C-alpha cells in the first residue's frame, strides 16, 4: 500500500487550500427543492433549468419505454445497440434544431471529445476561448491538431491567431456559447464574421443554451441570429432537458462522417432507450411550452436586479456571486446551507485563483418567494463573511 502514500499528501494539500471536495447525497428527485440530510433545501445550483428532471410526462415516457424496450441497449450503436428510440430521438433533435441531422452520444463530454478529434488532424489548427468548458479543453488537447487558446472573448486575439494560422490546412474555432462559470455569452456574431474572413470552421457548445435561449429554445446562436453560419453545434440532454446524453447537429454529411469517425460514439454502448424516450419527451416540452423559458428569464432578470447587480444584455440562467478566496466561498456556502439553500462554492481549479464564487443557477420552477428568501440569505451571508 505504501505506493499510495502520496495520496495522503495530495489530500492534505487540498484540505489546507480549502479545495477538498466531498459528495452530498440527495434523497428523492431533483426539483426546485431537494432533500438533503433529512431537510428540504432550495436547490440553487443545478442545471435543471426548466425543472424537467422530475417532470411527470418525462417520467412516464421513461417508464413506458422500459416496459417496451427493457433497460440496456446491449451494444454499441453500430453493432446492434441502435434501437427505435435512438432513431426517433435523433429525428426529434434534428427537427428541433432545424438541422439536417443529429447524432447522440452518451454524454456532452463525449460528444465534444469525439467531434473535435474527428474534425481536425495533425496539420490543422484549433483556436479555443480560454474559458471553454473542461470537456472542450480536453477535447482540444487530445486532438492531434495544434491547439491555441485565445483570451476570453478577445476578438483581436482571435483575429491575430487566425491571421498567423493561414499556413495550417484547416482552422477550427471552438467556443462555449454560454460560458459555464459566469453565464456570459460568446460574441458569436464576431466569431462567425472572423471565421468567414479567415476561412475557419466554427463549432459551438450550447450546453447551457439549449432549451433556455432563443425564440424556440435552440440556444445562444438562435438568440443572436447566427445559426446558419455555425456548421457544428453541440448540445447536451443533461441540463435544461433534464436527462443525460450529448448530441451534435449539423448537415447529413457531418453526421455521417462522425458516425464513422468519432471514437466516443463508436466504442461505447448506446445510451438506454428509455433515456432516449425521456429526452424526446423533454424536447417536445421545450418546443410546446415557451412559457417555461419566459418564466426563467423573468426570474433571472429579477434576481440580478434584486442582488444589486447590473444584468447583462442576454440572460443565461446563471448568476455569479464573486467572493474571492476559496475559504470565504466555502464559509458562505455553509452559511447558506444552514439557512436551507444549496449552492456549493465554486473554487479553483474550476475557476481561476481568487475568483471563487457561488454560482446561482435559477429554475423556471422556483417561486419568486423562494428566490426572495435566497437573496435575503445571500446578502446576510456576504455581510457576515466580509
Ligand atoms: C456540462 C457541459 C458539458 C458536458 O455535458 P454532459 O452532458 O454533462 O457531459 C459540455 N460542455 C459544456 C459547456 C457544459 O457546460
Amino acid at each position: 500500500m505504501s505506493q499510495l502514500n502520496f495520496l495522503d499528501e495530495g489530500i492534505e494539500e487540498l484540505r489546507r487550500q480549502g479545495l477538498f471536495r466531498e459528495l452530498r447525497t440527495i434523497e428523492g428527485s431533483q426539483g426546485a427543492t431537494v432533500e438533503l440530510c433529512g431537510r428540504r433545501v432550495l436547490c440553487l445550483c443545478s442545471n435543471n433549468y426548466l425543472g424537467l428532471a422530475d417532470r411527470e410526462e418525462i417520467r412516464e415516457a421513461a417508464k413506458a419505454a422500459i416496459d417496451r424496450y427493457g433497460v440496456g441497449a446491449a451494444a454499441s450503436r453500430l453493432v446492434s445497440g441502435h434501437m427505435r428510440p435512438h432513431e426517433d430521438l435523433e429525428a426529434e433533435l434534428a427537427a428541433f434544431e432545424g438541422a439536417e441531422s443529429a447524432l447522440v452520444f452518451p454524454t456532452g463530454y463525449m460528444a465534444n471529445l469525439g467531434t473535435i478529434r474527428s474534425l481536425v488532424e495533425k496539420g490543422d489548427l484549433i483556436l479555443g476561448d480560454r474559458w471553454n468548458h473542461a470537456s472542450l479543453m480536453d477535447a482540444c488537447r487530445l486532438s492531434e491538431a495544434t491547439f491555441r487558446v485565445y483570451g476570453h472573448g478577445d476578438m483581436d486575439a482571435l483575429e491575430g491567431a487566425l491571421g498567423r494560422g493561414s499556413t495550417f490546412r484547416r482552422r477550427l474555432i471552438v467556443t462555449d456559447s454560454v460560458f459555464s462559470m459566469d453565464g456570459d455569452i460568446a460574441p458569436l456574431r464576431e466569431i462567425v464574421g472572423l471565421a468567414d474572413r479567415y476561412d475557419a470552421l466554427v463549432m459551438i457548445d450550447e450546453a447551457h443554451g439549449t432549451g433556455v435561449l432563443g425564440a424556440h429554445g435552440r440556444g445562444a446562436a438562435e438568440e443572436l441570429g447566427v445559426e446558419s453560419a455555425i456548421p457544428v453545434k453541440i448540445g447536451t440532454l443533461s441540463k435544461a432537458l433534464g436527462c443525460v446524453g450529448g448530441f451534435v447537429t449539423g448537415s447529413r454529411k457531418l453526421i455521417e462522417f462522425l458516425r464513422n469517425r468519432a471514437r466516443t460514439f463508436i466504442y461505447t454502448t448506446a445510451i438506454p432507450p428509455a433515456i432516449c424516450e425521456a429526452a424526446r419527451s423533454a424536447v417536445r416540452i421545450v418546443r410546446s411550452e415557451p412559457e417555461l423559458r419566459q418564466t426563467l428569464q423573468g426570474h433571472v432578470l429579477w434576481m440580478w436586479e434584486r442582488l444589486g447587480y447590473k444584468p447583462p444584455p442576454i440572460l443565461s440562467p446563471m448568476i455569479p456571486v464573486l467572493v474571492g478566496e476559496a475559504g470565504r466561498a466555502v464559509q458562505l456556502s455553509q452559511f447558506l446551507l444552514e439557512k436551507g439553500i444549496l449552492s456549493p462554492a465554486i473554487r479553483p481549479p474550476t475557476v481561476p485563483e481568487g475568483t471563487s464564487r457561488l454560482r446561482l443557477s435559477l429554475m423556471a420552477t422556483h417561486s419568486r418567494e423562494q428566490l426572495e428568501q435566497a437573496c435575503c440569505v445571500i446578502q446576510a451571508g456576504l455581510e457576515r463573511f466580509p
Side-chain angles (χ1 to χ4, degrees):
M1 288 309 190
S2 61
Q3 284 90 338
L4 285 179
N5 283 350
F6 70 94
L7 299 181
D8 294 334
E9 247 170 70
I11 288 171
E12 202 36 55
E13 180 62 20
L14 286 171
R15 284 194 195 279
R16 254 198 310 277
Q17 295 172 336
L19 298 180
F20 189 73
R21 295 155 190 242
E22 276 171 298
L23 292 170
R24 290 181 239 258
T25 307
I26 303 289
E27 311 287 345
S29 71
Q30 290 288 344
T33 64
V34 293
E35 192 189 328
L36 183 66
C37 302
R39 273 200 313 156
R40 277 264 137 210
V41 297
L42 183 67
C43 184
L44 212 54
C45 53
S46 84
N47 303 315
N48 183 18
Y49 302 127
L50 303 179
L52 300 187
D54 74 342
R55 262 275 294 244
E56 191 59 28
E57 299 94 309
I58 301 178
R59 288 172 185 254
E60 291 305 326
K63 285 188 227 173
I66 286 178
D67 286 341
R68 185 147 173 210
Y69 298 104
V71 178
S76 64
R77 293 278 296 282
L78 288 168
V79 176
S80 62
H82 181 61
M83 299 167 72
R84 171 56 50 193
H86 300 90
E87 181 76 20
D88 290 347
L89 173 59
E90 286 173 347
E92 184 80 37
L93 286 169
F96 168 58
E97 295 280 352
E100 273 180 14
S101 202
L103 189 66
V104 169
F105 290 70
T107 67
Y109 197 142
M110 291 170 78
N112 280 334
L113 284 190
T115 302
I116 290 179
R117 252 194 87 97
S118 303
L119 288 178
V120 288
E121 302 165 24
K122 207 169 162 62
D124 297 332
L125 173 67
I126 310 176
L127 298 170
D129 190 287
R130 193 154 84 85
W131 287 5
N132 275 350
H133 187 261
S135 61
L136 283 178
M137 284 294 186
D138 292 356
C140 293
R141 289 192 193 116
L142 288 171
S143 89
E144 279 157 24
T146 300
F147 171 40
R148 295 199 181 124
V149 167
Y150 58 89
H152 181 55
D154 185 343
M155 292 298 101
D156 292 335
L158 175 59
E159 178 156 21
L162 283 166
R164 288 188 300 278
S166 59
T167 55
F168 287 89
R169 190 183 46 172
R170 273 202 295 279
R171 286 150 294 282
L172 171 66
I173 305 171
V174 176
T175 184
D176 282 21
S177 67
V178 179
F179 288 92
S180 51
M181 285 305 125
D182 282 347
D184 57 321
I185 312 294
L188 296 178
R189 288 198 190 118
E190 292 75 5
I191 288 173
V192 300
L194 288 174
D196 186 44
R197 196 155 347 126
Y198 291 90
D199 186 28
L201 181 62
V202 181
M203 167 176 151
I204 65 169
D205 178 346
E206 288 271 23
H208 293 281
T210 303
V212 171
L213 293 175
H216 300 87
R218 294 202 291 258
E222 185 187 19
E223 182 89 32
L224 290 167
V226 295
E227 285 178 290
S228 61
I230 295 173
V232 188
K233 230 175 110 170
I234 304 285
T236 178
L237 305 172
S238 61
K239 290 182 173 141
L241 296 172
C243 298
V244 68
F247 62 94
V248 183
T249 51
S251 67
R252 191 161 294 121
K253 231 186 299 182
L254 171 73
I255 300 307
E256 279 174 0
F257 183 77
L258 291 177
R259 264 192 219 126
N260 285 277
R261 286 291 287 276
R263 296 170 61 85
T264 54
F265 171 79
I266 299 169
Y267 298 106
T268 193
T269 300
I271 60 172
I275 290 296
C276 296
E277 287 290 281
R280 193 158 66 99
S281 164
V283 174
R284 290 200 174 144
I285 291 173
V286 166
R287 296 178 86 173
S288 63
E289 297 183 22
E291 59 273 21
L292 282 176
R293 50 187 176 275
Q294 286 152 11
T295 302
L296 177 61
Q297 287 276 317
H299 283 346
V300 175
L301 180 60
W302 178 89
M303 190 94 166
W304 274 96
E305 288 175 343
R306 174 68 181 72
L307 288 169
Y309 304 139
K310 186 174 176 300
I314 296 179
L315 298 168
S316 75
M318 286 162 276
I319 303 179
V321 177
L322 279 177
V323 275
E325 289 320 305
R328 185 183 179 219
V330 172
Q331 282 177 322
L332 188 59
S333 166
Q334 277 166 353
F335 176 79
L336 261 61
L337 192 55
E338 282 162 25
K339 306 285 179 195
I341 295 165
L342 180 59
S343 183
I346 310 279
R347 296 168 273 173
T350 310
V351 292
E353 206 65 49
T355 69
S356 289
R357 67 194 64 188
L358 302 181
R359 181 187 49 169
L360 312 179
S361 299
L362 272 51
M363 297 171 60
T365 48
H366 284 138
S367 71
R368 236 2 117 71
E369 295 69 43
Q370 287 171 326
L371 297 177
E372 170 64 31
Q373 172 67 16
C375 287
C376 292
V377 173
I378 291 163
Q379 280 166 341
L382 286 169
E383 278 168 31
R384 176 133 169 209
F385 304 104

